[in-house]
Amino acid sequence: MIELQSERFEAVQQMLGNLSGSEMRSAFANAANRAMSTARSTSWKAVKEMYTVTRTAFYHDTKTHIDRADTGSLEASLSFKSLLIPLVDFKTKGGTSRKGSRSSPLRAEVIRGAEKTLKYAYTANLGTYGEAVFERLTPKRESSSELYGPAAAQMVYNPEVLEQMDDAAMDTFERRLEHELDRILRG
């Protein structure tokens, strides 16, 4: 989260003593809004470095919302909402059987470098519903349930991903604030 102390606002105000408060608030709001847009675009890059999810699956049911800053409120925020992503959309190997042969155990890697073997899991093609990963709960045939990985929002709210997003947003905020103040001074 980008937080600015009042000292930063006061330092800019002293530097630009002849400008009105609304012009400065407008510059801060514009810079904050651009920083949130940068954080949103950085989210996929940061998630891709840590998780093996496909880009299509990441964005499929993910809703992002930016509460924009304005001169009345200099607060801007970015939020993510999403559903769980099916495990088949992450890196999976094995788990399929061919007629007359035994299947190899399914191996899934959700977080890069942390591959796990799922002993009772298998992949199945459900025709019009596509392919999915299932796990048998009991020896009975009807006792399977689909396996899921984390939701996109859970991946984004990982502390390491948030740190990358914050760094990119803060860098953009500083650059855009300089640009906005320069634009106001030049008229």
Side-chain angles (χ1 to χ4, degrees):
M1 175 189 286
I2 298 174
E3 292 183 16
L4 297 175
Q5 280 67 31
S6 59
E7 298 89 36
R8 175 79 168 137
F9 189 77
E10 291 168 3
V12 171
Q13 196 171 20
Q14 286 177 352
M15 184 176 79
L16 307 169
N18 60 346
L19 290 177
S20 70
S22 65
E23 288 177 321
M24 276 193 304
R25 293 179 73 77
S26 175
F28 273 96
N30 289 343
N33 292 334
R34 182 63 70 92
M36 290 299 106
S37 295
T38 300
R40 179 176 53 193
S41 64
T42 304
S43 66
W44 164 247
K45 295 172 190 165
V47 164
K48 182 177 69 171
E49 289 176 11
M50 185 166 201
Y51 296 92
T52 61
V53 67
T54 61
R55 184 182 183 112
T56 305
F58 180 78
Y59 283 114
H60 186 269
D61 286 323
T62 304
K63 293 178 178 39
T64 59
H65 180 72
I66 296 177
D67 285 326
R68 297 177 58 81
D70 57 18
T71 55
S73 170
L74 296 178
E75 186 176 320
S77 65
L78 172 64
S79 61
F80 287 82
K81 292 181 184 177
S82 62
L83 301 173
L84 292 175
I85 298 173
L87 191 59
V88 75
D89 291 325
F90 292 87
K91 187 176 179 182
T92 56
K93 298 180 214 168
T96 57
S97 65
R98 292 178 186 83
K99 197 169 190 172
S101 68
R102 293 182 61 127
S103 66
S104 59
L106 186 120
R107 294 184 310 275
E109 183 179 1
V110 175
I111 297 175
R112 291 194 185 276
E115 186 177 283
K116 294 191 178 182
T117 301
L118 304 171
K119 187 175 180 182
Y120 299 107
Y122 61 94
T123 58
N125 190 341
L126 302 175
T128 58
Y129 299 107
E131 195 172 335
V133 175
F134 292 92
E135 183 175 37
R136 240 180 245 302
L137 304 174
T138 66
K140 294 184 179 180
R141 182 180 175 128
E142 304 86 25
S143 67
S144 295
S145 66
E146 187 173 357
L147 298 178
Y148 294 91
Q154 290 172 314
M155 291 185 274
V156 168
Y157 293 127
N158 179 314
E160 295 170 18
V161 173
L162 279 177
E163 185 178 339
Q164 288 184 24
M165 290 170 55
D166 283 346
D167 291 344
M170 198 61 193
D171 181 49
T172 300
F173 180 82
E174 293 294 333
R175 283 188 289 111
R176 292 304 300 176
L177 184 59
E178 287 179 26
H179 171 79
E180 291 290 332
L181 294 174
D182 187 49
R183 182 183 60 81
I184 290 171
L185 287 174
R186 292 179 187 251

